[in-house]
């Protein structure tokens, strides 16, 4: 006699994407038990006791048979506890408590507690996107993940809090009310953290450079003695960055959901990320990886800022792994059976001292480092990595007369700076429509030729700088991108000589 299977549809995560998994449940008489096949990980194999206890917590009879659960396709590794709920529903369908046809066009995810409560799970937004792409119309999710799933309006999202509620919803589709949200409410709820550039005294040139970086998405490296205000200014970068668009917010939220780092109560990431890893971070924590790869700091900083304070204190091999994502905007992680790609289009902002002790050329304290020690300290950041940093500046110590001045009327607030940044970004959005480019720092060779027209004399100045300062071709193109951003801030259609001159000014450190 042919075995009649109960089929429930769920999903597994592979990198940033989800793919459909069919949970097949077959039962037969004999010694009671349960076997899960289809390359389950340890968490899934341990789900047997959770599922059994959850079914006992309902009013339904647990029929003592031998259950075989197959997670198809069987040749891909399945990870995590999100299969608890679909397996339990499949077993209950096999027992006859749920009509087998009730699962048509329905996707189910959720972890179970021993008392039958449905707990949240990772990657629900990616799963919802996959469900829409594969023609599923209903999505059964834990109550805590309902808002995240409802970000995809084409799906009918039905949240459940307990296994018994899920069973009743499968028996009677009208039992659970569909969950809807207004996406605009999340953007309206964006709050300010209170850090403002009006609190920064002096450093007008450094603040100008950070404004250019925000306007064009450029990488930055500040070098200066301790206490000159490097970190203070960089921590205020989020206050002048433009808001995330809906498409960008979905990209960022998807990454955080996969990583399991969405804060409690946060459904949609509406603020640009600002990541600040410690200098003891490993290269895996920075770019991602592990046995079952998850996004690293560079992906968690996608569409935002990755701030590396005391940059030379990071291990050299850790810094070198940044070269590929800085160039390509993605992180590629190879494994024996597959290759995973995570997005990593971020602004790198670094801060460093001029030497190991931090006081080289400082007017208030003598440096204790020998010339060889200074050279070794600076060489921790390699030339190829420096080439990929568009804006570089020595930050002087603020004069006492500037930081003691209590008059704030002449100090620009973040709001005023952000208005100029937003205007420049809007110009770039209109320029790059249909090109797959968001801002100037992302331009490729095609866009550079098309949108970076130089005024008379600007080309000569740039070529002279290339010859005298011995810049590489990569640096040439990065100067051109920065000049385009400066022109946008000045509302110049053509890049002027002054725009190129300012871009060159931010392209290197002093020799001292």
């Amino acid at each position: 006699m042919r075995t009649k299977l109960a089929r429930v549809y769920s999903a597994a995560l592979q990198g940033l994407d989800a793919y459909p998994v069919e949970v097949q449940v077959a039962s037969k008489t004999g010694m009671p038990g349960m076997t899960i096949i289809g390359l389950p990980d340890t968490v899934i194999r341990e789900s047997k006791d959770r599922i059994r206890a959850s079914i006992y917590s309902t009013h339904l009879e647990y029929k003592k048979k031998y259950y075989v659960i197959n997670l198809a396709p069987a040749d891909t590794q399945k990870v995590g506890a999100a299969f608890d709920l679909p397996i339990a529903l499949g077993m209950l369908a096999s027992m006859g408590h749920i009509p087998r046809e009730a699962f048509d066009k329905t996707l189910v995810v959720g972890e179970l507690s021993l008392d039958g409560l449905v707990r949240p799970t990772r990657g629900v937004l990616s799963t919802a996107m996959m469900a829409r792409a594969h023609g599923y119309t209903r999505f059964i999710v834990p109550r805590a993940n309902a808002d995240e799933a409802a970000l995809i309006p084409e799906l009918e999202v039905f949240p459940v809090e307990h296994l018994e509620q899920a069973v009743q919803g499968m028996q009677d589709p009208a039992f659970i009310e569909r969950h809807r949200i207004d996406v605009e409410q999340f953007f309206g709820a964006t709050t300010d953290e209170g850090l403002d550039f009006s609190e920064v005294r002096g450093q007008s040139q450094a603040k100008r450079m950070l404004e250019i970086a925000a306007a064009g998405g450029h990488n930055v490296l500040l070098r200066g003695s301790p206490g000159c205000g490097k970190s203070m200014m960089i921590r205020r970068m989020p206050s002048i960055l433009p808001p995330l668009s809906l498409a960008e917010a979905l990209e960022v939220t998807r990454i955080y959901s996969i990583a399991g780092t969405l804060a409690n109560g946060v459904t949609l990431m509406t603020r640009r990320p600002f990541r600040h890893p410690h200098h003891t971070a490993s290269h895996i924590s920075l770019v991602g990886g592990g046995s079952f790869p998850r996004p690293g700091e560079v992906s968690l900083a996608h569409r935002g800022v990755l701030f590396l304070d005391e940059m030379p204190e990071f291990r050299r091999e850790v810094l070198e792994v940044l070269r590929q994502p800085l160039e390509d905007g993605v992180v590629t992680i190879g494994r024996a059976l597959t290759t995973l790609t995570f997005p990593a289009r971020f602004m790198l902002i670094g801060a460093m001292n001029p030497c190991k002790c931090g006081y080289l050329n400082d007017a208030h304290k003598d440096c204790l480092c020998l010339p060889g020690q200074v050279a070794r300290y600076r060489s921790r950041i390699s030339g190829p990595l420096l080439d990929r940093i568009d804006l570089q500046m020595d930050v002087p110590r603020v004069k006492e007369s500037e930081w003691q001045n209590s008059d704030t009327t002449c100090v620009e607030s973040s709001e005023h700076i952000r208005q100029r940044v937003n205007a420049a970004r809007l110009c770039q959005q209109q320029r790059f429509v249909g090109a797959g480019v968001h801002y100037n720092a992302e331009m490729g060779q095609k866009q550079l030729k098309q949108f970076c027209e130089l005024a008379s004399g600007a080309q000569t100045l740039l070529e002279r700088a290339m010859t005298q300062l011995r810049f590489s071709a990569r640096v040439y193109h990065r100067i051109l991108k920065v000049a385009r951003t400066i022109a946008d801030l000045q509302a110049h259609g053509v890049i002027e000589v002054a725009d190129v001159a300012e871009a060159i000014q931010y392209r290197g450190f002093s020799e001292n």
Side-chain angles (χ1 to χ4, degrees), residues 226 353-360 365-369 377:
N353 294 331
C355 63
K356 183 67 175 178
C357 76
Y359 295 101
L360 183 67
K365 192 169 182 179
D366 293 334
C367 175
L368 303 177
C369 301
Y377 179 78

Side-chain angles (χ1 to χ4, degrees), residues 20-32:
V21 172
E22 184 178 290
V23 179
Q24 303 169 346
V25 181
S27 60
K28 62 181 181 179
T29 57
M31 182 70 69

Side-chain angles (χ1 to χ4, degrees), residues 113-158:
S113 297
L114 295 179
D115 57 0
L117 291 176
V118 182
R119 294 171 52 82
T121 187
R122 294 187 299 112
V124 166
L125 182 55
S126 291
T127 302
M129 292 178 173
M130 182 277 295
R132 175 183 60 184
H134 284 77
Y136 294 97
T137 57
R138 301 176 73 228
F139 193 15
I140 309 297
V141 298
R143 169 68 65 179
N145 294 125
D147 284 352
E148 184 182 342
L151 292 171
I152 308 301
E154 295 85 352
L155 282 179
E156 296 181 359
V157 175
F158 297 95

Side-chain angles (χ1 to χ4, degrees), residues 203 206 209-210 220-234 276 279 306-314 316 319 348-362 369 373-383 385-387 389 391-397 508-512:
Q203 301 296 9
M209 189 178 75
L210 291 176
V220 176
L221 180 58
L222 299 180
R223 188 175 75 181
S225 300
C228 68
K230 306 185 299 296
S231 298
M232 183 182 184
M233 288 185 288
I234 293 170
H276 182 197
H279 64 261
L306 177 67
F307 173 33
L308 302 185
D309 201 4
E310 305 295 343
M311 197 167 170
E313 299 300 329
F314 285 79
R316 188 181 179 93
L319 293 177
L348 173 65
I349 301 185
M352 64 178 289
N353 294 331
C355 63
K356 183 67 175 178
C357 76
Y359 295 101
L360 183 67
N361 299 322
D362 188 84
C369 301
Q373 292 175 313
V374 174
R376 283 193 298 273
Y377 179 78
R378 294 181 177 181
S379 68
R380 294 179 184 179
I381 303 177
S382 68
L385 183 57
L386 280 174
D387 266 3
I389 299 178
L391 302 163
Q392 305 168 18
M393 177 185 286
D394 282 305
V395 181
R397 185 182 292 275
F509 296 121
S510 65
E511 294 297 326
N512 295 325

Side-chain angles (χ1 to χ4, degrees), residues 37-53:
I37 58 177
L39 289 184
D41 72 338
T42 302
V43 174
I44 298 175
R45 288 195 295 269
E46 289 178 347
S47 68
K48 300 174 185 178
D49 294 324
R50 291 195 300 272
I51 293 167
R52 189 180 297 109

